[in-house]
Amino acid sequence: MSTQSGITASEAVVSECTSFLRSPTRRALILKIDTVTLSIKVQESVQCSDFSTDLKQLTENLTCDECCYILLRHDAEKHAFISYVPDNASVRSKMLYASTKNTLLQELGSGLFDPILFINSPEELSPQSWNKIMGSGNVKALSESEESLQAVKDHQLYVTSNPRRLANDSNNTLSFPLDDQLHDAVGGLANEVLITAVIDNERLVLAEKSCVPVDGIVEAIGNFHSPAYHLYNYQERKTFILTCPSGSKVRERMLYASNKQGFLNSLKSQGLEFTNVVEVGDASELETSEITGAPVEDANKPLGLRFAKPKGPRRR
């Protein structure tokens, strides 16, 4: 099952794209996702001249770390839809573009584009590479799920190949630096204090720090409707909780799950060790006994007095 980012093209963007598709004098249109407003914007337009020259001009507008969509006129009445996702782009950006592509294609009309391509290097749009693509007769675009999977693989490769981005623990796999506020907050995890951390803009940041009695922990954690890490101290019994509420996007679940141990190792390097680690979906699945360490009553154990089974009728 594919996931959708919820990002859609505005009427102005759709109108601009429609105008481009009808114009014989425009070669390419570059669209980008604004990661702040989470909206699609028209970034650049390339006019028609010689196809090889136009491709060169197009690639000059591509960077090694920013994703984009490209609408490319490659024949008089034919257009290609290209997802450009460079290896050095952020994991969040890769996943945003992968999960927005199908929606954008539906809004523009997927039948208007052939081929639909996925590339990760400007060199793949050189005249020589383009001729190979079109001459092979076997153009295969990555599906949305394949692009998301590729983004996750890139994330794993990025983690193992960029040790300077990791927290200072040789065994962890945390790819996001801790925000200063979060770093300071975890140093003061007092009794019945709840700290919630989330991944935001390639950083692990403090979402909330508050005093919460143990009987209110489920309600407090339930206020977060996206995946999050929660740190709670109950009478020096420290609990680390990862929640992934119903409706969370698959890519978010995978991102938090893959960084859980790295975060734990980073906290351990700061002298913070946990009595237990809990993973739940919705907050309602959390048992307070897991936090307090209180024994769980056996559901099969008889409770109080029970009525004896009545005897059946005598045989005659």
Side-chain angles (χ1 to χ4, degrees):
M1 181 183 293
S2 63
T3 58
Q4 300 294 323
S5 65
I7 299 174
T8 60
S10 65
E11 290 185 9
V13 170
V14 172
S15 177
E16 177 68 15
C17 292
T18 301
S19 176
F20 163 77
L21 294 173
R22 293 174 177 172
S23 173
T25 62
R26 302 169 75 183
R27 176 67 67 189
L29 197 66
I30 298 176
L31 307 175
K32 289 189 176 182
I33 296 175
D34 186 321
T35 56
V36 177
T37 62
L38 294 181
S39 59
I40 299 173
K41 296 185 177 181
V42 177
Q43 184 74 18
E44 193 70 41
S45 179
V46 177
Q47 299 300 313
C48 280
S49 60
D50 174 68
F51 187 65
S52 296
T53 303
D54 295 343
L55 284 180
K56 182 179 179 181
Q57 183 182 346
L58 174 61
T59 56
E60 289 174 352
N61 287 290
L62 304 180
T63 66
C64 63
D65 58 1
E66 292 185 5
C67 304
C68 69
Y69 300 118
I70 304 168
L71 311 185
L72 175 67
R73 179 186 298 277
H74 61 91
D75 204 339
E77 298 296 332
K78 295 182 179 179
H79 297 83
F81 182 97
I82 304 170
S83 294
Y84 173 65
V85 182
D87 293 336
N88 292 332
S90 69
V91 176
R92 179 171 182 263
S93 180
K94 291 178 181 180
M95 292 183 170
L96 274 180
Y97 276 79
S99 58
T100 303
K101 183 192 74 174
N102 281 359
T103 300
L104 179 58
L105 277 169
Q106 289 172 4
E107 291 175 323
L108 300 182
S110 57
L112 300 176
F113 301 98
D114 182 29
I116 297 173
L117 301 172
F118 174 91
I119 66 172
N120 55 22
S121 169
E123 287 72 27
E124 294 182 67
L125 280 181
S126 68
Q128 296 81 5
S129 297
W130 182 261
N131 289 335
K132 287 181 180 179
I133 291 173
M134 299 307 295
S136 66
N138 186 30
V139 177
K140 181 179 181 298
L142 292 183
S143 67
E144 181 185 343
S145 58
E146 289 172 327
E147 288 182 27
S148 295
L149 178 60
Q150 183 63 46
V152 173
K153 289 180 178 178
D154 289 342
H155 167 63
Q156 293 171 338
L157 178 62
Y158 176 77
V159 166
T160 57
S161 62
N162 290 269
R164 287 180 293 178
R165 286 292 302 277
L166 306 181
N168 296 324
D169 189 299
S170 59
N171 294 320
N172 75 42
T173 56
L174 180 62
S175 57
F176 305 105
L178 269 65
D179 181 76
D180 290 340
Q181 279 189 314
L182 176 60
H183 186 279
D184 295 339
V186 297
L189 188 58
N191 186 49
E192 294 196 337
V193 167
L194 174 67
I195 292 175
T196 299
V198 297
I199 298 172
D200 183 42
N201 290 328
E202 303 290 308
R203 298 179 68 84
L204 204 52
V205 303
L206 176 67
E208 186 173 302
K209 180 179 180 180
S210 58
C211 293
V212 179
V214 69
D215 57 0
I217 192 72
V218 172
E219 181 181 355
I221 290 177
N223 290 329
F224 292 86
H225 304 295
S226 298
Y229 301 116
H230 309 276
L231 288 56
Y232 189 69
N233 183 6
Y234 177 73
Q235 298 180 0
E236 297 307 312
R237 180 182 171 88
K238 298 179 178 67
T239 301
F240 181 100
I241 307 165
L242 167 59
T243 55
C244 291
S246 302
S248 301
K249 295 181 174 61
V250 174
R251 62 183 181 279
E252 291 181 337
R253 293 170 182 262
M254 295 194 316
L255 198 58
Y256 277 78
S258 64
N259 279 279
K260 182 195 73 174
Q261 189 57 49
F263 189 22
L264 280 167
N265 289 340
S266 178
L267 293 170
K268 183 178 180 180
S269 71
Q270 299 180 50
L272 191 61
E273 296 195 51
F274 292 86
T275 307
N276 60 330
V277 177
V278 181
E279 291 187 39
V280 296
D282 294 312
S284 58
E285 299 173 21
L286 181 66
E287 297 287 345
T288 55
S289 59
E290 296 179 280
I291 296 173
T292 63
V296 179
E297 293 184 354
D298 187 352
N300 297 319
K301 182 180 178 180
L303 299 175
L305 297 174
R306 292 181 179 272
F307 292 105
K309 182 179 179 181
K311 296 179 180 180
R314 295 180 180 180
R315 292 183 180 179
R316 296 180 179 178

